[in-house]
């Protein structure tokens, strides 16, 4: 079995893979050139972009384990046609991404962005802040997408006293902390009653522009939206208008379209916007967390068991 590690992985983690599978040939290919050289005999790809141009070079490829939870960068139709299994890293990012959303919610609640700007300008604004601060306890959080990230957020938010409502189309039991689960057909009604809306969705054909002008206008003028999925989940121009014209109170964006934002992009200058620059999933031991999933899956792959986090090609996640 030949396993290609298609990214720069910590030496400790690549050694763990070697120690766990001494009979396997482990090849590290962190750049495009080494990937092209390694793929003709690869059976398994861990990480890497797995783009369509590499597939014709990999006649023996049977399984791709991604480093991310999102898999929208993969050539899904080509992989499905070849019968190549894909698994994602769901479960490795929920804790840190949910904390990122909560940090943005708390920052808006206590007016932290205003206070940081006031410190930079040496302006004392305590009287205004006292009248504008919010209390999250008792407010409603709408979580769109109740996978690992959405479920982790719901649990933490409910512990702070928020009423959590979820949007999910699959008929599954609600995760801990979620009071109600609604289908996407009830989205507009749910948006109208939410104080905070968090998008924890994968990017698929069905979720592009999940929030457009109609959805943003359905929200309360005092409500905030948070996006930790992909930038294309929210219509960019509609969001700009919503933030400029006061359809909503603010936005906490970990992801944007495009990335990185150009220096002249208008989102930089919006005072009611927090940008965390697609850092919410990052953490010092992320290599270990994702490699834990990969090692478990490689054991399953060798023994013919069902793989963990197997992607459903028809759902695109």
């Amino acid at each position: 079995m030949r396993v290609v590690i298609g990214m720069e992985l910590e030496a400790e983690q690549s050694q763990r893979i070697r120690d766990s599978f001494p009979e396997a040939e482990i090849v590290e290919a962190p750049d495009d050139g080494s990937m092209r050289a390694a793929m003709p005999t690869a059976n398994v790809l861990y990480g890497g972009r797995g783009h369509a141009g590499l597939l014709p070079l990999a006649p023996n490829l049977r399984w791709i384990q991604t480093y991310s939870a999102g898999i929208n960068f993969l050539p899904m139709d080509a992989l499905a046609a070849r019968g190549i299994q894909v698994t994602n890293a769901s479960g490795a990012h929920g804790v840190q991404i949910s904390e990122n959303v909560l940090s943005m919610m708390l920052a808006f609640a206590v007016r932290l962005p205003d206070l940081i700007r006031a410190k930079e300008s040496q302006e004392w604004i305590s009287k205004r802040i006292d009248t504008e601060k919010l209390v999250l306890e008792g407010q409603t959080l709408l979580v769109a997408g109740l996978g690992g990230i959405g479920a982790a957020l719901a649990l933490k938010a409910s512990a702070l006293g928020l009423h959590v409502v979820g949007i999910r189309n699959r008929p599954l039991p609600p995760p801990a902390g979620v009071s109600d689960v609604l289908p996407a057909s009830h989205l507009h009604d749910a948006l109208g009653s939410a104080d905070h809306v968090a998008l924890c969705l994968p990017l698929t054909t069905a979720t592009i522009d999940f929030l457009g002008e109609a959805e943003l206008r359905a929200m309360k003028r005092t409500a905030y939206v948070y996006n930790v999925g992909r930038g294309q989940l929210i219509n960019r121009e509609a969001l700009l208008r919503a933030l400029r014209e006061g359809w909503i109170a603010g936005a906490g964006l970990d992801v944007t379209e495009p990335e990185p934002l150009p220096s002249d992009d208008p989102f930089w200058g919006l005072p009611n916007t927090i940008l965390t620059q697609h850092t919410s999933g990052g953490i010092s031991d992320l290599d270990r967390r994702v490699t834990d999933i990969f090692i478990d899956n490689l054991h399953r792959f060798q023994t013919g068991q069902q793989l963990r986090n197997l992607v459903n090609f028809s759902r695109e996640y």
Side-chain angles (χ1 to χ4, degrees), residues 1 17 35 40 59 70 75 115 125 142 154 168 178-179 208 221 266 274 296:
M1 179 175 62
I17 298 171
M35 280 272 285
L115 290 165
I125 60 172
L142 177 65
R168 178 167 63 189
V178 178
S179 300
I208 292 173
R221 294 179 68 86
I274 297 173
D296 176 55

Side-chain angles (χ1 to χ4, degrees), residues 89-129:
S90 179
H93 306 85
V95 171
Q96 60 268 34
I97 294 180
S98 64
E99 291 182 359
N100 191 91
V101 176
L102 285 176
S103 70
M104 293 191 287
M105 292 173 65
L106 288 163
F108 281 128
V110 302
R111 297 300 188 252
L112 191 57
D114 290 340
L115 290 165
I116 291 173
R117 285 189 292 268
K119 179 179 180 293
E120 293 171 349
S121 63
Q122 300 180 348
E123 180 184 5
W124 199 259
I125 60 172
S126 62
K127 289 185 178 179
R128 175 170 70 83
I129 295 299

Side-chain angles (χ1 to χ4, degrees), residues 140-159 162-168 172-183 200:
T140 295
L141 167 64
L142 177 65
V143 181
L146 292 174
I149 295 168
L153 173 60
L155 184 63
K156 293 176 186 295
S158 65
L162 284 101
H163 173 69
V164 182
V165 178
I167 292 285
R168 178 167 63 189
L172 299 173
V178 178
S179 300
D180 302 293
V181 178
L182 303 173
C200 305

Side-chain angles (χ1 to χ4, degrees), residues 16-225:
R16 283 180 62 208
I17 298 171
R18 297 176 193 279
D19 292 344
S20 299
F21 304 94
E23 74 288 354
E25 181 183 1
I26 311 296
V27 178
E28 297 186 53
D31 55 59
D32 191 67
S34 57
M35 280 272 285
R36 289 181 175 277
M39 291 308 290
T41 55
N43 306 119
V44 175
L45 174 61
Y46 174 30
R49 303 308 288 178
H51 55 75
L54 286 177
L55 287 185
L57 305 177
N60 302 304
L61 186 64
R62 296 169 56 200
W63 164 43
I64 298 173
Q65 168 71 58
T66 69
Y67 191 83
S68 60
I71 48 87
N72 57 287
F73 57 88
L74 290 172
M76 306 296 285
D77 290 343
L79 291 167
R82 288 267 304 273
I84 297 172
Q85 297 184 98
V86 176
T87 54
N88 65 23
S90 179
H93 306 85
V95 171
Q96 60 268 34
I97 294 180
S98 64
E99 291 182 359
N100 191 91
V101 176
L102 285 176
S103 70
M104 293 191 287
M105 292 173 65
L106 288 163
F108 281 128
V110 302
R111 297 300 188 252
L112 191 57
D114 290 340
L115 290 165
I116 291 173
R117 285 189 292 268
K119 179 179 180 293
E120 293 171 349
S121 63
Q122 300 180 348
E123 180 184 5
W124 199 259
I125 60 172
S126 62
K127 289 185 178 179
R128 175 170 70 83
I129 295 299
D130 284 343
T131 65
E132 294 180 356
K133 285 174 64 177
L134 309 173
V135 174
L136 293 182
E137 184 175 347
Q139 291 197 318
T140 295
L141 167 64
L142 177 65
V143 181
L146 292 174
I149 295 168
L153 173 60
L155 184 63
K156 293 176 186 295
S158 65
L160 291 178
L162 284 101
H163 173 69
V164 182
V165 178
I167 292 285
R168 178 167 63 189
N169 278 329
R170 288 189 290 164
L172 299 173
V178 178
S179 300
D180 302 293
V181 178
L182 303 173
S185 59
H186 288 61
L187 177 62
H188 279 234
D189 291 339
L191 288 170
S193 61
D195 301 292
H196 305 271
V197 177
L199 301 187
C200 305
L201 296 161
L203 181 66
T204 68
T205 304
T207 61
I208 292 173
D209 287 351
F210 184 79
L211 295 186
E213 178 172 343
E215 291 76 24
L216 291 165
R217 287 191 180 276
M219 292 173 60
K220 297 178 180 179
R221 294 179 68 86
T222 55
Y224 296 84
V225 66

